[in-house]
Amino acid sequence: MAHWTSAVGAAQLARLLKSQQDRPAGPGTRRPPAYRALADGIRLLVLEGRVPVAARLPAERELALSLSVSRTTVAAAYEALRAEGFLESRRGAGSWTAVPAGNPLPARGLEPLPPEALGSVIDLGCAALPAPEPWLTRAVQGALEELPPYAHTHGDYPAGLPALRSMIAERYTARGIPTMPEQIMVTTGAMGAIDAICHLFGGRGERIAVESPSYANILQLMREAGARLVPVAMAEGLSGWDLDRWRQVLREAAPRIAYVVADFHNPTGALADEDQRRRLVEAARSAGTVLIADETMTELWLDEEFAGGAMPRPVCGFDPAGSTVITVGSASKAFWAGMRIGWVRAAPDVIRSLVAARAYADLGTPVLEQLAVNWLFSTGGWEEAVELRRAQARENRDALVAAVRRELPDWEFEVPRGGLTLWVRAGGLSGSRLAEAGERVGVRVPSGPRFGVDGAFEGYVRLPFTVGGVVAEEAAARLAAAARLVESGATAGTEAPRTFVA
């Protein structure tokens, strides 16, 4: 019986490895022997989760042909990986990836650090802020007061609590998008919403068009569902979408679904203007593509120019018939990641189909959390809490930007006007190697390829606005230390993390 559960083809592995070499090496970098560079590249892919654990690797001869190297080089690399615990082999079964005993299993998405690691590691992996107190406590207290009547029922509301569905519909109507409660389904976070939509419209093997780069956890969700991702490159900087590319992909690839973040895009922070939104909806309608508009960042504008309601109209505002756009919202980014309440806005027949399919998934969303969000919406607490969140994110953004510019002047980025993330070109260094070096000096940062398809964006990292003040300064200093390790070609274990308490 084989010990591997999936397989990586020679051509695919070659593409992933090549992406690590596309960026020029830093000054003074020592070039390791070819077999060592190959072993290090495969190890990085495993540690980042881009090649899963227990994935069967190509035979030595196949990989050598794809990489245009000798079979001896591949054999030596595989032997080095076996000695380090990153590869296991058995005659007749081939070789498959592994992790050394005692090492945590690599995550394929972006998960927060466990609490016990927070004293020694600064976490720039998870784009989430602490709860905006006292509003979380007040919302839960308000929910408890409203709970008794619901406690006398079965507690299963597959479409969501009627009161919350009505409140969400009213909020869309107030934004100029007339909406009925029958157009709303409450979900367990935005991830639950997008998962339900993908299962309804995008069966295994279906094409899904995605921005490139895009949100790492959503990309992984779609991969796990068996989707074939079709990347569409973002325009340069913060200018949003390249509509010529979108029209071409929608016309030629005919994806069943397209996924976009028009409001302070994750990870770039770009904000699409109204003309881009209108043209994308028209292109999706012409192609027969269902367009998922992720609005989880829409209220996280940080610059005062938006205070007077200057945000572009929602994407669904350009689809009055409701036949093309499905909108996803959430309390998790604007309020608190621990408040796992999301929602879908779509045509009533789509909502009915989603609700019917939910019987085979999670049945419904926790009642108490729905009541808490409804309390926030109905009392004005939501607006005050989100304003507190904006102020915190704005202060963190400015502190992080200043610290990175001081410590790493060669790194390039544009400062977004909202959202929670900074998309940074890392001065010609490998993002994967920076992420690995960061773990050794006490800062956790996700590399660019997590946000792309097939190894794209190796020269980037994503920095969230989750730390400020002296913590932001220390995070930038540790990133600079990681960059020096990468530039010097230092090996693992060179520098130990420092303990830092904010």
Side-chain angles (χ1 to χ4, degrees):
M1 176 180 175
H3 291 194
W4 49 272
T5 57
S6 61
V8 180
Q12 179 188 7
L13 184 56
R15 286 196 303 272
L16 292 170
L17 289 166
K18 183 178 183 301
S19 72
Q20 298 175 342
Q21 303 164 1
D22 283 343
R23 304 296 296 178
T29 300
R30 299 194 303 270
R31 293 192 178 276
Y35 85 90
R36 184 69 261 175
L38 176 55
D40 287 347
I42 295 174
R43 177 173 53 83
L44 276 175
L45 293 173
V46 173
L47 287 173
E48 284 212 318
R50 290 193 283 146
V51 168
V53 174
R56 186 179 186 273
L57 295 186
E60 295 170 2
R61 188 186 304 277
E62 294 175 8
L63 186 57
L65 287 172
S66 291
L67 293 174
S68 299
V69 300
S70 71
R71 183 177 177 182
T72 302
T73 297
V74 178
Y78 279 13
E79 183 57 38
L81 290 168
R82 277 190 287 269
E84 296 164 4
F86 286 95
L87 196 68
E88 296 181 9
S89 303
R90 197 177 70 182
R91 185 177 297 276
S95 299
W96 56 92
T97 54
V99 293
N103 281 35
L105 194 67
R108 305 200 73 189
L110 303 178
E111 292 80 20
L113 279 174
E116 61 269 18
L118 294 178
S120 60
V121 179
I122 298 175
D123 187 7
L124 296 182
C126 184
L129 291 164
E133 289 287 29
W135 297 106
L136 174 62
T137 298
R138 291 180 182 176
V140 173
Q141 290 171 340
L144 287 171
E145 293 175 2
E146 299 292 331
L147 182 61
Y150 295 94
H152 293 292
T153 72
H154 48 65
D156 287 336
Y157 297 88
L161 294 183
L164 181 55
R165 295 176 72 196
S166 295
M167 184 61 68
I168 294 170
E170 289 176 15
R171 292 175 65 84
Y172 275 106
T173 300
R175 293 169 65 191
I177 312 297
T179 304
M180 303 178 295
E182 293 79 8
Q183 292 177 263
I184 302 295
M185 181 177 82
V186 180
T187 62
T188 307
M191 293 286 287
I194 294 169
D195 183 56
I197 296 166
C198 288
H199 277 89
L200 181 63
F201 288 98
R204 184 166 292 275
E206 288 279 5
R207 294 185 181 91
I208 300 181
V210 295
E211 296 149 326
S212 183
S214 188
Y215 178 37
N217 285 341
I218 292 296
L219 295 180
Q220 190 56 34
L221 180 155
M222 292 173 175
R223 291 187 187 104
E224 297 290 345
R228 298 163 61 190
L229 300 183
V230 182
V232 186
M234 296 284 289
E236 283 296 316
L238 298 177
S239 54
W241 300 330
D242 185 327
L243 267 299
D244 289 336
R245 288 175 177 166
W246 270 104
R247 277 195 297 267
Q248 180 181 2
V249 167
L250 293 177
R251 181 177 64 250
E252 296 179 0
R256 185 70 182 92
I257 300 172
Y259 169 76
V260 297
V261 185
D263 302 307
F264 308 119
H265 175 264
N266 186 356
T268 68
L271 176 67
D273 62 33
E274 291 202 359
D275 183 59
Q276 290 172 322
R277 296 168 192 240
R278 178 184 298 104
R279 292 165 62 196
L280 181 62
V281 172
E282 291 171 353
R285 185 183 298 118
S286 296
T289 297
V290 175
L291 183 61
I292 304 175
D294 184 333
E295 284 193 339
T296 52
M297 296 286 187
T298 191
E299 295 191 66
L300 289 177
W301 49 264
L302 304 182
D303 288 1
E304 290 303 320
E305 66 183 280
F306 300 111
M311 282 287 291
R313 292 174 63 199
V315 176
C316 60
F318 301 96
D319 180 37
S323 59
T324 299
V325 178
I326 299 178
T327 303
V328 171
S330 172
S332 299
K333 291 295 185 186
F335 185 74
W336 183 47
M339 188 67 77
R340 304 304 304 161
I341 298 295
W343 52 86
V344 178
R345 181 198 180 275
D349 61 320
V350 172
I351 295 297
R352 286 192 294 270
S353 297
L354 289 170
V355 171
R358 194 172 194 179
Y360 307 102
D362 63 353
L363 292 178
T365 301
V367 169
L368 189 62
E369 292 186 28
Q370 292 187 70
L371 289 172
V373 172
N374 192 60
W375 183 91
L376 288 165
F377 284 159
S378 61
T379 62
W382 177 268
E383 283 70 26
E384 296 197 42
V386 171
E387 182 52 44
L388 182 64
R389 169 69 82 234
R390 290 192 195 107
Q392 186 179 15
R394 184 184 302 117
E395 181 179 335
N396 288 355
R397 178 194 65 179
D398 296 345
L400 186 64
V401 164
V404 172
R405 282 177 170 164
R406 181 176 61 254
E407 296 285 345
L408 294 150
D410 293 337
W411 288 20
E412 303 170 50
F413 54 85
E414 291 189 41
V415 181
R417 295 177 291 168
L420 289 172
T421 57
L422 197 65
W423 185 238
V424 181
R425 182 181 282 114
L429 300 179
S430 159
S432 298
R433 297 183 188 281
L434 280 168
E436 184 193 32
E439 297 281 354
R440 307 201 308 265
V441 300
V443 60
R444 181 173 182 257
V445 57
S447 67
R450 287 183 176 270
F451 304 89
V453 177
D454 275 347
F457 307 109
E458 181 60 51
Y460 289 79
V461 292
R462 188 196 73 171
L463 306 180
F465 311 143
T466 52
V467 296
V470 294
V471 186
E473 294 174 4
E474 178 67 13
R478 295 187 186 190
L479 286 171
R484 289 192 294 272
L485 286 179
V486 175
E487 288 173 346
S488 68
T491 56
T494 299
E495 191 167 340
R498 298 170 289 178
T499 300
F500 178 77
V501 179

